[in-house]
Amino acid sequence: MKIKVDDITAEAKELSFREPEVGVNLVLDAGPLNEWRFKTPIAVAVSYYRAGTELFFEGQLDGCTGAVCARCAEEFEGPLNRQFRLVLSPRSIAGEPGSDRDAEAGDYAVYEGDEVDLSPLIREELLLALPTRPLCREDCRGLCPRCGANLNQGDCRCPEPAGDPRLAPFRSLKIQRS
Ligand SMILES: [Zn+2]
Ligand SMILES: [Zn+2]
């Protein structure tokens, strides 16, 4: 989605659109987040205005992601929501990244030419919202290391690791030392 720089005025305007998931998935594929996929287009609601030469964008991204759980290897889907604030400075006068900027104001980027392409900025915000290790839920119990049963579906019949008789000598050693 591109916005003409001339159309960005001191008065805030609002825009809603759907960003195709294909472009985001290509970026995911190429990086460390390649376990993740977006399943549907991402709903973008953004308001934007300018103050001098700086352009401000703030809004919300809503998408649906899917991945294979890193613990139990089951596929899962879930919502992804992210609020963002972006400040864009013209490339010609943009200072060194991370100089004396106020981090509270949002993420910084630059623009040049007569258009702002929101798509790469949206992709970056989405990537920031994804954890590197996909989990179907916080407390996923994963797979039994012995029989491979999915422990989210109940306990397997394997003995508890603590009850392993081969470890007993080590346990008593520990007791003697203390
Ligand atoms: Zn899981
Ligand atoms: Zn088991």
Side-chain angles (χ1 to χ4, degrees), residues 54 93-105 108:
E54 292 196 316
I93 63 160
E96 287 297 304
S99 50
D100 55 347
R101 298 292 206 171
D102 174 9
E104 294 250 312
Y108 285 92

Side-chain angles (χ1 to χ4, degrees), residues 21-39 65-66 123 126-128 130:
E21 72 275 28
V22 186
V24 188
N25 286 339
L26 280 175
V27 176
L28 287 174
D29 262 342
L33 291 162
N34 58 3
E35 312 270 356
W36 291 97
R37 279 295 161 282
F38 278 87
K39 296 284 188 179
T65 56
R123 276 177 229 145
L126 291 170
L127 263 52
L128 289 171
L130 289 172

Side-chain angles (χ1 to χ4, degrees), residues 25-143:
N25 286 339
L26 280 175
V27 176
L28 287 174
D29 262 342
L33 291 162
N34 58 3
E35 312 270 356
W36 291 97
R37 279 295 161 282
F38 278 87
K39 296 284 188 179
T40 56
I42 294 95
V44 184
V46 60
S47 92
Y48 56 94
Y49 61 94
R50 80 160 60 230
T53 54
E54 292 196 316
L55 311 180
F56 294 79
F57 295 84
E58 52 182 281
Q60 164 106 19
L61 307 172
D62 296 291
C64 172
T65 56
V68 172
C69 177
R71 280 192 203 146
C72 70
E74 291 285 330
E75 277 201 56
F76 67 96
E77 287 185 13
L80 182 101
N81 317 101
R82 180 167 176 93
Q83 290 186 324
F84 66 95
R85 278 174 70 86
L86 285 167
V87 185
L88 272 65
S89 303
R91 185 174 291 281
S92 50
I93 63 160
E96 287 297 304
S99 50
D100 55 347
R101 298 292 206 171
D102 174 9
E104 294 250 312
D107 295 328
Y108 285 92
V110 295
Y111 70 94
E112 60 185 339
D114 52 7
E115 281 182 334
V116 173
D117 188 356
L118 283 181
S119 298
L121 301 169
I122 289 168
R123 276 177 229 145
E124 202 167 313
E125 289 295 327
L126 291 170
L127 263 52
L128 289 171
L130 289 172
T132 39
R133 200 162 171 257
L135 291 181
C136 63
R137 54 182 217 221
E138 264 320 297
D139 61 346
C140 170
R141 297 180 63 206
L143 303 177

